[in-house]
Amino acid sequence: KNEVEQSPQNLTAQEGEFITINCSYSVGISALHWLQQHPGGGIVSLFMLSSGKKKHGRLIATINIQEKHSSLHITASHPRDSAVYICAVRGRQGAQKLVFGQGTRLTINP
Amino acid sequence: DAGVIQSPRHEVTEMGQEVTLRCKPISGHDYLFWYRQTMMRGLELLIYFNNNVPIDDSGMPEDRFSAKMPNASFSTLKIQPSEPRDSAVYFCASSTRVSGGGLDWQPQHFGDGTRLSIL
C-alpha cells in the first residue's frame, strides 16, 4: 500500500462543476502539499498546509490531521483547470523529503 | 525572479552514453531537490541538498547516478552509463525555510524538467 493514496485517479467533469480530489496518507506528517502539473509538464505548488483550510481563488484545500486526509476543491471549474493534481506529504521532524501520490488527472470539458 | 532553471529541456541519447542534467536554483534558496517522474512510479525524490551538502540520497537508484552541488547556484545530476530504463522526466526544485513566529517552509519551486530518452 502506498503511503499516499489519491482518488479518483481520473476525473472528467463539465465546466462549472464543483470538483473534489481526495488524498489519504498513512504516516505522520508535518505538512501536505498540493501540486498542479499542466499538460506541458511544468509543476506548480498550489498549497502547503498543516492544518485547517486554505483558499486561493477558486481553489480550496483542507486537511484533517486526525483522519490523515486532505481534499482539494475547485469551484466553478473551467477547462483551464484541466491538469494532473498531485498530493505530497512531508514527514515529521522537519524533514524536507516529499512523498507523492500518483496524481489525479482532471479534465474539464466546455 | 527567474525561477528554477533546468537544462537541457530535452535529451535523446543512446544507451551507454553519459548524461548530465543541470539545474540553477532560485537565488537565496538553500535546499535543492532532484526528482524523477515516470508513468509507472510517478514522482520520486532522488536526492536533496542543503547548503550544497547532500542530505538524503536514498532515492538514487544505483551507482550509475551521481549528483553534485559545487556551489549555491548550480547542481548537476549525472547518469553514467545511461540505460533505456532511465528514460523519464527529471525535475529540479528549490526551497528555503522562513521564520516568523515559528519556523516554516516555503513551498518547493520546480523547474520545467528535462525529458530524457535513452535509446
Side-chain angles (χ1 to χ4, degrees):
Chain A
K1 190 180 189 298
N2 293 331
E3 290 182 357
V4 183
E5 295 275 356
Q6 287 185 236
S7 64
Q9 289 189 352
N10 293 283
L11 177 58
T12 299
Q14 290 300 122
E15 182 173 358
E17 287 189 36
F18 181 82
I19 303 299
T20 296
I21 299 171
N22 296 299
C23 175
S24 296
Y25 53 91
S26 56
V27 295
I29 68 168
S30 58
L32 182 142
H33 298 245
W34 281 103
L35 309 171
Q36 180 190 56
Q37 185 171 29
H38 273 283
I43 297 175
V44 175
S45 180
L46 297 174
F47 294 104
M48 182 177 66
L49 65 166
S50 56
S51 64
K53 179 170 78 172
K54 286 192 176 180
K55 185 176 188 292
H56 181 68
R58 295 180 294 107
L59 301 178
I60 303 166
T62 64
I63 188 169
N64 185 318
I65 296 293
Q66 286 73 30
E67 295 187 2
K68 292 186 166 61
H69 181 268
S70 175
S71 293
L72 176 68
H73 305 285
I74 305 175
T75 62
S77 60
H78 190 276
R80 64 175 176 265
D81 298 326
S82 298
V84 176
Y85 292 84
I86 303 169
C87 171
V89 299
R90 177 153 47 83
R92 285 186 179 146
Q93 301 161 354
Q96 275 290 283
K97 181 175 180 175
L98 291 181
V99 178
F100 298 87
Q102 283 293 93
T104 294
R105 183 174 300 276
L106 173 66
T107 302
I108 303 296
N109 294 318
Chain B
D1 192 342
V4 176
I5 300 172
Q6 289 187 247
S7 64
R9 289 296 310 275
H10 304 273
E11 175 92 9
V12 181
T13 192
E14 293 185 347
M15 65 177 294
Q17 297 297 307
E18 178 180 287
V19 174
T20 300
L21 310 182
R22 297 172 175 80
C23 175
K24 177 178 167 57
I26 291 174
S27 177
H29 282 191
D30 50 355
Y31 284 85
L32 183 140
F33 308 82
W34 281 103
Y35 295 100
R36 179 171 67 177
Q37 186 178 38
T38 61
M39 288 293 293
M40 289 295 295
R41 300 172 67 93
L43 269 166
E44 302 174 284
L45 176 69
L46 299 176
I47 185 172
Y48 80 88
F49 296 83
N50 177 218
N51 291 322
N52 314 337
V53 176
I55 303 300
D56 184 344
D57 65 355
S58 59
M60 296 286 264
E62 47 197 275
D63 291 346
R64 298 184 297 106
F65 285 69
S66 62
K68 293 182 179 180
M69 192 164 187
N71 58 64
S73 59
F74 183 67
S75 177
T76 59
L77 178 67
K78 191 169 293 189
I79 308 172
Q80 166 64 19
S82 57
E83 297 182 4
R85 59 194 168 116
D86 302 330
S87 298
V89 181
Y90 291 81
F91 287 97
C92 175
S94 70
S95 181
T96 190
R97 295 184 84 168
V98 295
S99 59
L103 284 179
D104 202 356
W105 301 88
Q106 282 193 2
Q108 295 182 16
H109 295 255
F110 287 76
D112 290 335
T114 294
R115 186 173 296 275
L116 178 64
S117 296
I118 308 296
L119 306 177

